[in-house]
Amino acid sequence: MIVKESFSMEDTFELGKQFGAAAKEGAVFCLSGDLGTGKTVFTQGFAAGMEIDEPVNSPTFTIVQEYDSGRLPLYHFDVYRIGDVEEMDEIGCDDYFFGRGVCLVEWAELVKEIIPDNAVWITIRKDLDKGFDYRSITIEEKEV
C-alpha cells in the first residue's frame, strides 16, 4: 500500500496523469471516495496521461463513457447509480474489463464482487484538519 498526499486539485490531477501515462492495456483502476474528494479530477489527469484530447466528465447517468482519442481506449465508469450488480452485466462490463483498453471505475466498492483481481484500488480521502484542499490518496495493488 502506498499513500500519497495532495494539497491541491493540481496535485490530484498530476497524480492521475502519472497513473494514466503508465497504464497498460487491460489495466483496471478502481476509485473510491466521498462526493467532492477529487475522483473526477484524478480521472481527468489520468486521461491526460493517456494522451486523450477530449473533455472528460463523470458519466453518472450513462454509467460508462468511452474515450478513443488516446494511446489506448479509456473506459470510464461511474457506478454510483447502479442499483444491482447485474446492471453491469447488461452493459457488458466483462468486455471492458478484459478488453484492449484501460478501465477506470468510480465508486467501484459498490460492485466489488465483479472487479477483476488485478485491479488497482485508489481511495481519496479529505482531511479538513490539514486544509480544505488536502487529500490523502491510498493506492493498493492486490498480489496475484
Side-chain angles (χ1 to χ4, degrees), residues 103-115:
C103 292
L104 198 144
V105 185
E106 292 189 41
W107 299 99
E109 67 275 13
L110 299 176
V111 295
K112 63 184 172 196
E113 60 267 32
I114 64 164
I115 298 294

Side-chain angles (χ1 to χ4, degrees), residues 63-64 77-79 82-97 105 110-111 114-115:
I63 301 175
V64 63
F77 292 82
D78 183 329
V79 299
I82 291 286
D84 188 308
V85 75
E86 290 177 7
E87 290 179 56
M88 291 294 287
D89 289 334
E90 292 172 13
I91 64 166
C93 66
D94 282 351
D95 293 337
Y96 292 106
F97 290 159
V105 185
L110 299 176
V111 295
I114 64 164
I115 298 294

Side-chain angles (χ1 to χ4, degrees), residues 12 92 110 133:
T12 302
L110 299 176
D133 292 326

